Amino acid sequence: MFRRSDRRAEKTKVTDVAPGDRLVTLIRKPGCHLCDDAQVVIEKVCADLGVPWERKDITEDEELHREYWEQIPVVLVDGAQHTFWRVDEARLRKALTQ
């Protein structure tokens, strides 16, 4: 069963990001150790580069759950899927600086 709330996650689309701006989205679920590991990498890289990031919980959004359940954690860069399961710091950094 999915909970709906005012802070319900919505999929980030490339059109939601202003030209030249970057946005990293971490799609995760509570209690996921791979998600926790991914968040550490994202926090570090985004802090170093001054790039905003957001976290979305698949247990609060049926569409995200349906699309990403078997891949979490999933990382989107500017709305496009960048990686899943493990986040490589160098690869994320490169994606955000190109």
Side-chain angles (χ1 to χ4, degrees):
M1 179 176 231
F2 295 93
R3 294 178 294 147
R4 294 200 184 251
S5 70
D6 292 337
R7 43 185 205 126
R8 182 175 173 248
E10 294 180 6
K11 287 180 69 174
T12 304
K13 296 179 176 63
V14 175
T15 56
D16 294 340
V17 179
D21 289 346
R22 309 309 308 258
L23 177 64
V24 175
T25 304
L26 171 60
I27 300 171
R28 59 168 297 147
K29 73 172 187 169
C32 168
H33 73 281
L34 289 177
C35 299
D36 294 338
D37 293 346
Q39 184 168 325
V40 168
V41 174
I42 290 167
E43 287 175 340
K44 179 180 189 304
V45 171
C46 288
D48 289 350
L49 300 176
V51 173
W53 72 279
E54 64 185 353
R55 180 175 47 210
K56 295 188 179 184
D57 182 342
I58 64 166
T59 66
E60 295 181 359
D61 185 297
E62 190 171 346
E63 185 179 347
L64 289 175
H65 184 273
R66 201 172 28 252
E67 188 167 348
Y68 296 116
W69 177 252
E70 294 180 1
Q71 296 179 343
I72 61 161
V74 174
V75 178
L76 308 179
V77 173
D78 302 335
Q81 188 168 336
H82 170 73
T83 194
F84 61 96
W85 294 338
R86 303 242 183 235
V87 181
D88 180 87
E89 181 179 340
R91 183 170 178 258
L92 179 58
R93 190 175 299 275
K94 182 177 179 182
L96 294 172
T97 56
Q98 289 184 338

